[in-house]
Amino acid sequence: MVQWHPSLTLEHTPKSGTKLFGAPPFILSVSFALLILLGTCLLKLPIATESPITWLQSLFTVTSAVTVTGLVVVDTGSVFTPFGQVIIALLIQCGGLGLMTFAIVTLIALGGKIGFLQQTVAKEAFNQTDTSTLVSTAKAVLMFSLLVEAVGMLILSVYWSGELGWQTSLFHGFFYTVSAFNNAGFALSPDSLIPYVADPVVNLTITGLFIVGGLGFSVWIDLKRNKRWSKLTVYSRMMITGTVLINAIAVIAIYLIEYNNPNTLAPLSELGKWLASWFQAVTPRTAGFNTLPIDQLEDGSTLLILVLMFIGGGSLSTASGIKVVTFMVLILTTYGYLRRDEAVYVFKREIPKDTISKALALTMISIGVTWLAIFALVLTEKAPIMDIAFEAVSALGTVGLSRGLTGNLSSAGQGIIIFMMFMGRLGPLMLAYFLANPRVKKLRYAETKLAIG
C-alpha cells in the first residue's frame, strides 16, 4: 500500500547531488585541503627544517597540524627550525579556530559583507542554526581564543624562564599554548610532557587550556550571557554535565588501574599519581599530550582511552570526536527505550527525533570509517592489533596519542592516517553529506515491523 502526500507537487525536484560542488561541506573540505597544500610546500623549504624531509613527511605533519591531531612521523623539536615550528603553530591555530572564523573577521575588517553562500558555509563550520548570530559568534570566538592563549602563554613563559631562559621560554610558552588550546598535542620534545608528570603548574595550565578549548565556544558564550545554571541552554548544561562526569570517572578509573604499575603511577608520590591520572584522563578528549608513556599503560587504561578518544569534546570547539552531547543523546535514547518512554527527555525538554537520527548516523559512520581504517592498517602494517586500533581511533578523533606506531608507519599507512585525520576534523557527517544527499520523496510506503536483537 502506498500513501500519497498531497502537499508535494508533481514538479521535478533536482537532485541535491547536482549542487555538490557548491555545498558547504565541499567548500570547507577544499579550504582545508588548500591550507594543507600551502603548508606542505612551506615545510619543504630549506629554511623550515634542520635536515631534508620527504614530501610525504611534510604532508603528514601539515595534515596533523591543520586537523589539530598531533601525530608525527618526525620529531617536531629537532627536525624543524624555529621558522618551521612557527609555521606549524600557525597551521594549528588556523585549523583549530576554523578557517571561517578568520575569513569572516577579515571580511568585516575590510568593510565587506557576508553573502548567503558564505553564511551557509560559516553555519556549517560553526554548527549554528541562526545566521544572524554568525558575525558576533566569529568575533567572540577569536577574541576569547586570543585572550585565553595570552594568559596561558604568560603563565608557561614565566614558569619556564628559570629553566630555559627568557627567549626559549617565551617561544615554548607560545608553541605549547597554541598547541594545547587548539587540542593539537604537538610538543617540542620527543617524550611530550613526561618530564613534567608531577609538576602542578604545567599539568594544570596545559589541561586547563585544552579543556577550555575543547568544551566549546558556544558554551563559554552562553556562560558569559547567562550566569545562572537554570538560564543556560540545554546544550550547555548537557555539555558541562557530560564533561564533568566523563572526566571524573576517567580519573578515578586510571588511578585505580595504574596505581601499582611500575612503569606509570607506582614510582610517583600521591600528588604525582593524581596529577598523572588527571592528565591521562582528560588528554584523550583530543588534546594529544601525555605525561605517562602510553605504550606502558595497562590494557584496561588503553581501552578506556580508546573510548574517550572516540567521544571527543564539544561542538564549535577545537576538539573532534563524535562529541560529548552526541554520546549523551545516544545514552539517553537507549535509557528512554528501555523505559518504553514515548520520547527522549533531558532537563525537562524533549530531544527532537532528527537530532537522535543525526547522533546515530554520526556514530555509525565514525565506527564504519574507523573499522575500515583498522582493516586497511592491518594489511599494510606489521604491528599488534591494539597499536593499530589505537592509531586509527586517535587519528579519526584528531587526538594525537600513539603507542609508538606513528614513526614506523609505511608510506601506505601514513596515507591512511592522513585520510583519517582529514575526515576526523571535517566530521563524519560531512562525509555522509557527500554519500547521501537529501532528496524530497513524493511517496511514502506502509510501515513494516522487523525483528531486532
Side-chain angles (χ1 to χ4, degrees), residues 44-87:
K44 275 293 290 179
L45 295 174
I47 194 177
T49 58
E50 298 289 353
S51 57
I53 60 175
T54 66
W55 280 102
L56 182 58
Q57 289 172 331
S58 180
L59 174 63
F60 191 101
T61 303
V62 171
T63 304
S64 184
V66 172
T67 60
V68 293
T69 303
L71 293 172
V72 293
V73 288
V74 294
D75 179 45
T76 308
S78 61
V79 172
F80 296 100
T81 64
F83 174 82
Q85 292 165 3
V86 169
I87 293 299

Coordinates of all heavy atoms in Angstrom, one line a residue, residues 44-87:
K44 N 58.6 22.3 3.2 CA 59.6 21.7 2.4 C 60.7 22.7 2.1 O 61.7 22.3 1.5 CB 59.0 21.2 1.1 CG 58.4 19.8 1.2 CD 59.5 18.8 1.4 CE 60.4 18.6 0.1 NZ 61.4 17.6 0.3
L45 N 60.5 24.0 2.5 CA 61.5 25.0 2.3 C 62.8 24.6 3.1 O 62.6 24.2 4.3 CB 61.0 26.4 2.6 CG 59.9 26.9 1.8 CD1 59.4 28.2 2.4 CD2 60.3 27.1 0.3
P46 N 64.0 24.8 2.6 CA 65.2 24.6 3.3 C 65.2 25.3 4.7 O 65.8 24.7 5.7 CB 66.3 25.0 2.4 CG 65.7 25.0 1.0 CD 64.3 25.3 1.2
I47 N 64.7 26.5 4.8 CA 64.7 27.2 6.0 C 63.8 26.7 7.1 O 63.9 27.0 8.3 CB 64.2 28.7 5.7 CG1 64.6 29.6 6.9 CG2 62.8 28.8 5.4 CD1 64.3 31.1 6.6
A48 N 62.9 25.7 6.7 CA 62.0 25.2 7.7 C 62.5 23.9 8.4 O 61.9 23.6 9.4 CB 60.6 24.8 7.0
T49 N 63.5 23.3 7.9 CA 64.0 22.1 8.5 C 65.5 22.1 8.7 O 66.2 22.7 8.0 CB 63.6 20.8 7.6 OG1 64.2 21.0 6.3 CG2 62.1 20.7 7.5
E50 N 65.9 21.3 9.8 CA 67.3 21.2 10.0 C 68.0 20.2 9.1 O 69.2 20.3 8.7 CB 67.5 20.7 11.5 CG 67.0 21.6 12.6 CD 67.9 22.8 12.7 OE1 68.9 22.9 12.1 OE2 67.5 23.7 13.5
S51 N 67.2 19.2 8.6 CA 67.6 18.3 7.6 C 66.5 18.0 6.7 O 65.3 18.1 7.1 CB 68.1 17.0 8.3 OG 67.1 16.4 9.1
P52 N 66.7 17.7 5.4 CA 65.6 17.5 4.5 C 64.6 16.4 4.9 O 65.0 15.4 5.5 CB 66.3 17.1 3.2 CG 67.7 17.6 3.3 CD 68.0 17.5 4.8
I53 N 63.4 16.7 4.6 CA 62.3 15.7 4.8 C 61.6 15.4 3.5 O 61.7 16.2 2.6 CB 61.3 16.1 5.9 CG1 60.6 17.4 5.4 CG2 61.9 16.3 7.2 CD1 59.5 17.9 6.3
T54 N 60.9 14.3 3.4 CA 60.2 13.9 2.2 C 58.9 14.7 2.1 O 58.4 15.2 3.1 CB 59.9 12.4 2.2 OG1 59.0 12.1 3.2 CG2 61.2 11.6 2.4
W55 N 58.4 14.7 0.9 CA 57.1 15.3 0.7 C 56.0 14.7 1.5 O 55.1 15.3 2.0 CB 56.7 15.3 -0.8 CG 57.4 16.3 -1.7 CD1 58.5 16.2 -2.5 CD2 57.1 17.7 -1.7 NE1 58.8 17.4 -3.0 CE2 58.0 18.4 -2.6 CE3 56.1 18.5 -1.1 CZ2 57.9 19.7 -2.9 CZ3 56.0 19.9 -1.4 CH2 57.0 20.5 -2.3
L56 N 56.1 13.3 1.6 CA 55.1 12.6 2.4 C 55.2 13.0 3.9 O 54.1 13.2 4.5 CB 55.2 11.1 2.2 CG 54.2 10.2 3.0 CD1 52.8 10.6 2.5 CD2 54.5 8.7 2.7
Q57 N 56.4 13.1 4.4 CA 56.6 13.5 5.8 C 56.0 14.9 6.0 O 55.4 15.2 7.0 CB 58.0 13.4 6.2 CG 58.5 12.0 6.3 CD 60.0 11.9 6.5 OE1 60.8 12.8 6.1 NE2 60.5 10.9 7.2
S58 N 56.3 15.8 5.0 CA 55.8 17.2 5.1 C 54.3 17.2 5.1 O 53.6 17.9 5.9 CB 56.3 18.0 4.0 OG 55.9 19.4 4.1
L59 N 53.7 16.4 4.2 CA 52.2 16.4 4.1 C 51.6 15.8 5.4 O 50.6 16.3 5.8 CB 51.8 15.5 2.9 CG 50.3 15.2 2.7 CD1 49.6 16.5 2.4 CD2 50.1 14.2 1.6
F60 N 52.2 14.8 5.9 CA 51.7 14.2 7.1 C 51.7 15.2 8.3 O 50.7 15.3 9.0 CB 52.5 12.9 7.5 CG 51.9 12.1 8.6 CD1 51.3 10.9 8.3 CD2 52.1 12.5 9.9 CE1 50.7 10.1 9.3 CE2 51.5 11.7 11.0 CZ 50.8 10.5 10.6
T61 N 52.8 15.9 8.4 CA 53.0 16.8 9.5 C 52.0 18.0 9.4 O 51.3 18.4 10.4 CB 54.4 17.4 9.5 OG1 55.4 16.3 9.7 CG2 54.6 18.4 10.7
V62 N 51.8 18.5 8.2 CA 50.9 19.6 8.0 C 49.5 19.2 8.2 O 48.7 19.9 8.8 CB 51.1 20.2 6.6 CG1 50.0 21.2 6.2 CG2 52.5 20.9 6.5
T63 N 49.1 18.0 7.7 CA 47.7 17.5 7.9 C 47.5 17.3 9.4 O 46.4 17.7 9.8 CB 47.5 16.1 7.2 OG1 47.8 16.3 5.8 CG2 46.1 15.7 7.3
S64 N 48.4 16.8 10.1 CA 48.3 16.6 11.5 C 48.1 18.0 12.2 O 47.4 18.1 13.2 CB 49.5 15.9 12.1 OG 49.4 15.7 13.5
A65 N 48.8 19.0 11.7 CA 48.7 20.4 12.3 C 47.4 21.0 12.0 O 46.7 21.5 12.9 CB 49.9 21.2 11.9
V66 N 47.0 21.0 10.7 CA 45.8 21.7 10.3 C 44.5 21.0 10.9 O 43.6 21.7 11.3 CB 45.6 21.7 8.8 CG1 44.3 22.2 8.3 CG2 46.7 22.5 8.2
T67 N 44.6 19.7 11.1 CA 43.5 18.9 11.7 C 43.6 18.9 13.2 O 42.9 18.2 13.9 CB 43.4 17.5 11.1 OG1 44.6 16.8 11.4 CG2 43.2 17.5 9.6
V68 N 44.6 19.6 13.7 CA 44.9 19.6 15.2 C 44.9 18.3 15.8 O 44.3 18.0 16.8 CB 44.0 20.6 15.9 CG1 44.2 22.0 15.5 CG2 42.5 20.3 15.7
T69 N 45.7 17.4 15.2 CA 45.8 16.0 15.7 C 47.0 15.8 16.6 O 46.8 15.5 17.8 CB 45.9 15.0 14.5 OG1 44.7 15.2 13.7 CG2 45.9 13.6 15.1
G70 N 48.2 16.0 16.1 CA 49.4 15.9 16.9 C 50.2 14.6 16.7 O 51.3 14.4 17.2
L71 N 49.7 13.7 15.8 CA 50.5 12.6 15.4 C 51.7 13.0 14.5 O 51.5 13.9 13.6 CB 49.7 11.5 14.6 CG 48.6 10.8 15.4 CD1 47.7 10.0 14.5 CD2 49.2 9.9 16.5
V72 N 52.9 12.5 14.7 CA 54.1 13.0 14.0 C 54.9 11.8 13.5 O 55.0 10.8 14.3 CB 54.9 14.0 14.8 CG1 54.2 15.3 15.1 CG2 55.4 13.3 16.2
V73 N 55.5 11.9 12.4 CA 56.4 10.9 11.8 C 57.9 11.4 12.0 O 58.8 10.6 11.8 CB 56.1 10.6 10.4 CG1 54.8 9.8 10.2 CG2 56.0 11.9 9.5
V74 N 58.1 12.6 12.3 CA 59.4 13.2 12.6 C 59.3 14.1 13.8 O 58.3 14.6 14.1 CB 60.0 14.0 11.4 CG1 60.3 13.1 10.2 CG2 59.1 15.1 11.0
D75 N 60.4 14.1 14.6 CA 60.3 14.9 15.8 C 60.3 16.4 15.6 O 61.1 17.0 14.8 CB 61.6 14.6 16.7 CG 61.6 15.4 17.9 OD1 60.6 15.5 18.6 OD2 62.7 16.0 18.3
T76 N 59.2 17.0 16.1 CA 59.0 18.5 15.8 C 60.1 19.3 16.3 O 60.5 20.3 15.7 CB 57.7 18.9 16.5 OG1 56.6 18.0 16.0 CG2 57.3 20.3 16.1
G77 N 60.7 19.0 17.5 CA 61.7 19.9 18.2 C 63.0 19.8 17.5 O 63.7 20.8 17.5
S78 N 63.4 18.7 17.0 CA 64.8 18.5 16.4 C 64.8 18.6 14.9 O 65.9 19.1 14.3 CB 65.4 17.2 16.9 OG 64.6 16.1 16.4
V79 N 63.8 18.2 14.2 CA 63.8 18.2 12.7 C 63.5 19.6 12.2 O 64.1 20.0 11.2 CB 62.8 17.2 12.2 CG1 62.7 17.3 10.7 CG2 63.3 15.8 12.6
F80 N 62.6 20.3 12.8 CA 62.2 21.6 12.3 C 62.9 22.8 12.9 O 63.1 22.8 14.2 CB 60.6 21.8 12.4 CG 59.8 20.8 11.6 CD1 59.3 19.7 12.2 CD2 59.7 21.0 10.2 CE1 58.6 18.8 11.5 CE2 59.0 20.1 9.5 CZ 58.4 18.9 10.1
T81 N 63.2 23.8 12.2 CA 63.8 25.0 12.7 C 62.7 25.9 13.4 O 61.6 25.6 13.3 CB 64.4 25.8 11.5 OG1 63.4 26.2 10.6 CG2 65.4 25.0 10.8
P82 N 63.2 26.9 14.1 CA 62.1 27.8 14.7 C 61.2 28.3 13.6 O 60.0 28.5 13.9 CB 63.0 29.0 15.2 CG 64.3 28.3 15.6 CD 64.5 27.3 14.6
F83 N 61.6 28.6 12.4 CA 60.7 29.0 11.3 C 59.7 27.9 11.0 O 58.5 28.2 10.9 CB 61.5 29.3 10.1 CG 60.7 29.6 8.9 CD1 60.1 30.9 8.7 CD2 60.4 28.7 7.9 CE1 59.3 31.2 7.6 CE2 59.6 28.9 6.8 CZ 59.0 30.2 6.6
G84 N 60.1 26.7 10.9 CA 59.2 25.6 10.6 C 58.3 25.4 11.8 O 57.1 25.1 11.6
Q85 N 58.7 25.5 13.0 CA 57.9 25.4 14.2 C 56.8 26.5 14.3 O 55.7 26.2 14.7 CB 58.7 25.3 15.5 CG 59.6 24.1 15.6 CD 60.7 24.3 16.6 OE1 60.8 25.3 17.3 NE2 61.6 23.2 16.7
V86 N 57.2 27.7 13.9 CA 56.2 28.8 13.8 C 55.1 28.5 12.8 O 53.9 28.7 13.0 CB 56.9 30.1 13.5 CG1 55.8 31.2 13.2 CG2 57.7 30.6 14.7
I87 N 55.5 28.0 11.6 CA 54.6 27.6 10.6 C 53.6 26.5 11.1 O 52.4 26.6 10.9 CB 55.3 27.0 9.3 CG1 56.1 28.1 8.6 CG2 54.3 26.4 8.3 CD1 55.3 29.3 8.1

